[in-house]
Amino acid sequence: ECFVRPHQKSTIVLQVTMPGGRQDLDSIEADMRQLLANEQYGCADASLAKMPESYCSGNYTATLSAFNFEPENDETSLLSDPPSPLFSGSEKVVTILGSGMVAGPAVEYLSRDKGCLVRVVSNAPGEAKNLCQHKSLADRRNVEGRTTDVMSDLSQLVEESDCLLSLLPQPFHVTVAKECIQKKTPLVTASYVSKEMSALDIEAKENGIPILCEMGLDPGMDHMSAMQIIDRMKRDGRELNSFSSLCGGLPAPEAANNIFGYKFSWSPKGVLTALSNDARYRKDGQLIEIEGADLLKHAKPFKLHNTPSFALEHLPNRDSMVYANSYGIETAETVYRGTLRYEGFCSHMASLQKLGFFQGDSRFDTVLQSVNIANLSQDLKRLVQKIESTASKESLSMLAIDGFCQFLQGELAYGEEERDMVLMQHTFNENQEDELVSSLIVYGDEDASAMAKTVGVTAAIGVKLVLEDMVEYGVVVPTKGAVYNPCLELLEKEGFVFEHH
């Protein structure tokens, strides 16, 4: 068995059987030690340790990894980590930072390559190991979970890896990227490129590594699927006058069984704060700017192409004009990116926002006491009464937005048998003769949610492309054909297929 660690000492566990028994084995050991002492191989800095007689408990046909190995002497401090079970001749080590819901599909995809050791590390005790023992990975012997202080041990984790996939929260990515640049180890993330990350572009190029970002669903698959069509239109000499892109992670219709038509698989606070973001887009040549406090008032009804049964709405998603530049469509009269929700979500959230439930400077109990239930619709009246009856003493003393989030996380969580859904639709030259619509629908299943699959598999494909030297150096997003063409092709093989109409 081999445990290969790039830039560090590697481990080989060798089991030898000789017809002459102990005498022949001693001769083999003497020859090996003589080889290690040869000055010609001094740069290898290798050492040899002999297993105790009890190592195999007399069963010399058993797999080596079935036994815990304890060296007989102190000359093998390099063997402090046991060999990876049944992992032979490894050439690539991928370390995944974080073991949340997105990590599972990423591990499953990457570990299909038996020549790749996939190591998951997490601060949460047992979480990484439990992930690696999931039934979808039951026969994968090239995965390992490790509990460690990720940021404290970051330098070693980077040094041991051929590529890192960071699924940590976005604020950690720049620190990880700087360490990767120092160690010349490529990095993949699913998060947006921040100004701080963008500033590392030249340094990454000088050190000869790619830092491939925005490899998820949104951002990620949205860039790739849009740019493939935009570039094709340019090659064909077709003019692009309007572009809109809509995306949303939602409960599947049968699970959208509350007044919001929405459920949370992680903290609701990010969703609520996003509902107060400023937005900007261009419509028919006119620049539209919306203040965050008014965002929910700008929701509009929407029907998914060829799937009118979904009653949806969309609201503007931050600054769409950034994509006019990054997509090379500066002359388009309409450039719009929006977030999809079920119809009624925005009006209900707007009412709760007006009542003070989004406030970060008032206590939760103060806001609840100020609500005049008599003035509310029946749906909102029942909701507020449910909040009042279930709120704990602890949550009542929180800030209003935090107490409300605690309620949402408890009451609007997915049930064990419920599945989610991802929707995405791009529209090019809307209401024109050459209008083109590209749409994607993905449902969750018993192994993973749709959100986890679309983000995790896309990020894993990014790692695959990096390991195959298909990504240019520097801070990169998947808006060029060298990345989006092979990635979309591999995503189709996983069942993520954009339908074009």
Side-chain angles (χ1 to χ4, degrees):
E1 290 185 64
C2 299
F3 183 36
V4 179
R5 289 181 278 194
H7 318 301
Q8 282 195 326
K9 289 185 177 181
S10 300
T11 301
I12 298 174
V13 181
L14 181 65
Q15 182 173 342
V16 181
T17 302
M18 296 295 292
R22 182 76 262 171
Q23 183 176 353
D24 282 359
L25 287 172
D26 288 343
S27 176
I28 289 287
E29 181 184 347
D31 289 345
M32 293 176 72
R33 293 191 181 278
Q34 185 176 359
L35 182 66
L36 295 179
N38 191 318
E39 293 182 359
Q40 182 178 351
Y41 305 113
C43 61
D45 191 23
S47 56
L48 178 67
K50 188 168 60 176
M51 304 297 191
E53 292 292 335
S54 60
Y55 179 72
C56 291
S57 303
N59 180 11
Y60 297 105
T61 63
T63 305
L64 288 171
S65 59
F67 305 101
N68 292 321
F69 126 70
E70 298 287 343
E72 284 188 324
N73 49 53
D74 295 331
E75 72 178 316
T76 55
S77 59
L78 76 160
L79 297 177
S80 57
D81 289 330
S84 174
L86 293 184
F87 190 62
S88 285
S90 156
E91 291 185 356
K92 302 295 182 183
V93 176
V94 175
T95 298
I96 298 178
L97 306 182
S99 55
M101 57 183 259
V102 171
V107 174
E108 193 284 322
Y109 186 90
L110 289 168
S111 63
R112 295 176 195 174
D113 180 358
K114 295 181 180 179
C116 179
L117 171 62
V118 183
R119 177 183 297 139
V120 186
V121 295
S122 171
N123 293 344
E127 193 172 88
K129 289 185 178 180
N130 288 340
L131 185 153
C132 294
Q133 293 169 358
H134 188 271
K135 61 181 181 179
S136 65
L137 303 172
D139 61 342
R140 308 284 171 88
R141 307 305 297 272
N142 57 329
V143 297
E144 71 176 34
R146 182 185 298 181
T147 300
T148 187
D149 187 326
V150 174
M151 299 312 291
S152 296
D153 296 339
L154 183 62
S155 179
Q156 180 182 348
L157 293 170
V158 172
E159 192 166 11
E160 291 176 351
S161 307
D162 292 285
C163 184
L164 246 72
L165 170 57
S166 179
L167 300 176
L168 300 174
Q170 186 175 20
F172 293 100
H173 289 328
V174 171
T175 301
V176 174
K178 288 179 178 178
E179 192 66 39
C180 285
I181 289 172
Q182 185 179 344
K183 298 291 195 302
K184 302 183 187 298
T185 301
L187 171 67
V188 177
T189 84
S191 297
Y192 283 105
V193 175
S194 64
K195 290 182 180 179
E196 294 79 9
M197 183 69 87
S198 183
L200 299 176
D201 178 57
I202 294 176
E203 202 174 345
K205 288 176 179 175
E206 289 175 347
N207 283 271
I209 66 162
I211 297 178
L212 180 57
C213 304
E214 305 190 9
M215 286 296 292
L217 171 68
D218 177 2
M221 291 174 71
D222 56 345
H223 294 329
M224 295 185 281
S225 53
M227 283 305 301
Q228 188 177 59
I229 293 175
I230 290 170
D231 284 345
R232 186 183 302 149
M233 291 179 70
K234 289 179 178 179
R235 287 194 302 269
D236 295 343
R238 296 167 58 194
E239 187 176 359
L240 180 62
N241 297 314
S242 73
F243 168 75
S244 69
S245 177
L246 307 175
C247 183
L250 300 165
E254 72 276 9
N257 50 11
N258 57 65
I259 68 168
F260 301 108
Y262 196 79
K263 292 194 173 177
F264 299 91
S265 51
W266 52 76
S267 172
K269 195 166 185 178
V271 175
L272 295 190
T273 54
L275 298 178
S276 299
N277 286 329
D278 295 342
R280 197 165 74 111
Y281 62 95
R282 188 160 60 216
K283 176 68 173 175
D284 297 329
Q286 181 182 0
L287 184 64
I288 310 294
E289 295 182 297
I290 302 169
E291 292 185 5
D294 298 325
L295 182 66
L296 288 166
K297 300 175 185 176
H298 288 260
K300 297 178 180 178
F302 174 73
K303 297 292 186 183
L304 196 69
H305 190 82
N306 281 358
T307 316
S309 55
F310 292 149
L312 303 168
E313 61 189 16
H314 63 86
L315 67 162
N317 184 5
R318 303 194 187 192
D319 187 1
S320 298
M321 298 314 298
V322 171
Y323 297 91
N325 296 321
S326 60
Y327 289 2
I329 54 174
E330 296 89 346
T331 60
E333 293 188 356
T334 295
V335 180
Y336 177 83
R337 280 171 54 90
T339 301
L340 288 171
R341 294 289 181 259
Y342 282 113
E343 203 168 56
F345 173 90
C346 293
S347 62
H348 288 311
M349 283 296 182
S351 297
L352 291 165
Q353 184 183 48
K354 187 175 180 180
L355 291 171
F357 284 90
F358 288 21
Q359 288 182 13
D361 55 2
S362 298
R363 282 172 52 121
F364 194 32
D365 54 359
T366 303
V367 169
L368 281 170
Q369 290 166 11
S370 68
V371 175
N372 185 350
I373 290 183
N375 295 332
L376 301 181
S377 67
Q378 287 299 314
D379 284 341
L380 284 175
K381 185 182 295 185
R382 283 191 290 268
L383 178 69
V384 172
Q385 289 172 336
K386 182 72 176 288
I387 294 173
E388 289 175 333
S389 65
T390 59
S392 65
K393 186 176 180 180
E394 178 189 8
S395 68
L396 289 172
S397 64
M398 293 178 176
L399 294 173
I401 189 169
D402 294 326
F404 185 42
C405 284
Q406 188 175 93
F407 168 79
L408 292 175
Q409 193 161 18
E411 294 295 321
L412 273 66
Y414 281 93
E416 288 186 13
E417 305 259 330
E418 292 181 334
R419 59 179 185 161
D420 71 331
M421 172 179 70
V422 161
L423 303 177
M424 184 181 293
Q425 180 168 298
H426 306 307
T427 306
F428 307 84
N429 289 343
E430 187 173 8
N431 297 325
Q432 298 180 28
E433 287 187 6
D434 61 345
E435 178 185 275
L436 176 63
V437 177
S438 176
S439 57
L440 170 75
I441 303 178
V442 179
Y443 290 96
D445 55 36
E446 61 180 6
D447 289 327
S449 68
M451 186 63 71
K453 289 191 294 183
T454 50
V455 176
V457 173
T458 303
I461 289 174
V463 172
K464 176 180 174 65
L465 298 183
V466 165
L467 292 176
E468 294 178 0
D469 296 323
M470 297 176 67
V471 182
E472 63 183 300
Y473 298 155
V475 178
V476 182
V477 294
T479 55
K480 294 184 179 180
V483 175
Y484 70 62
N485 279 324
C487 190
L488 288 172
E489 184 177 341
L490 290 170
L491 284 168
E492 284 196 6
K493 292 181 179 178
E494 301 304 309
F496 307 141
V497 180
F498 282 85
E499 300 289 343
H500 303 303
H501 313 279

